[in-house]
Amino acid sequence: ASARRGVVDHRTDIYALGATFYELLTLQPAVIGLDRQQMLEHLSFGEPRPPRRIDPRIPVDLETIALKSLAHAPEDRYVTAASLASDLARYLAGEPIQARRPAGATILSQRPLGNPLV
């Protein structure tokens, strides 16, 4: 999105799965903007609104899975689609998920960009 050269690999697909999952959870797109420029800015520098800010009934574990899938840095996303699927299976089985939430400082520093609903 930023037109910089970089590695585009399977973690891009993890992001796409996360964006779909986010929209299923919240009924809103993960990337919101009034125009193409705002959407590209959000993709490059922003973070999605935490799903529980949109709907507090969303379970914390599902929010954690969605946000890990949508991590800005590819190395912070799930390593494989299978690991994402495993966490979803753990959630459905009532078992602890493997994903961990970002540290408090990280959450406070993240800001949604180009989001007219914030």
Side-chain angles (χ1 to χ4, degrees), residues 68-86:
K68 180 172 179 71
S69 301
L70 292 169
H72 185 69
E75 61 272 11
D76 293 337
R77 296 180 200 146
Y78 284 97
V79 176
T80 64
S83 60
L84 168 57
S86 291

Side-chain angles (χ1 to χ4, degrees), residues 10-56:
H10 65 283
R11 294 171 297 187
T12 304
D13 295 331
I14 301 297
Y15 186 93
L17 285 169
T20 301
F21 184 54
Y22 182 98
E23 192 160 344
L24 288 169
L25 283 175
T26 65
L27 302 177
Q28 295 183 17
V31 178
I32 297 175
L34 297 175
D35 58 26
R36 181 176 180 264
Q37 185 61 37
Q38 279 187 352
M39 291 180 77
L40 289 174
E41 181 181 329
H42 186 249
L43 276 170
S44 296
F45 305 109
E47 298 290 339
R49 259 178 100 189
R52 290 177 47 82
R53 284 198 192 158
I54 297 167
D55 184 349

Side-chain angles (χ1 to χ4, degrees), residues 64-117:
T64 301
I65 292 168
L67 293 177
K68 180 172 179 71
S69 301
L70 292 169
H72 185 69
E75 61 272 11
D76 293 337
R77 296 180 200 146
Y78 284 97
V79 176
T80 64
S83 60
L84 168 57
S86 291
D87 250 1
L88 288 171
R90 281 187 198 86
Y91 171 79
L92 290 172
E95 300 170 2
I97 63 170
Q98 297 291 319
R100 295 293 165 248
R101 299 180 68 73
T106 304
I107 292 172
L108 293 175
S109 69
Q110 295 171 349
R111 60 187 173 98
L113 298 173
N115 188 340
L117 301 176

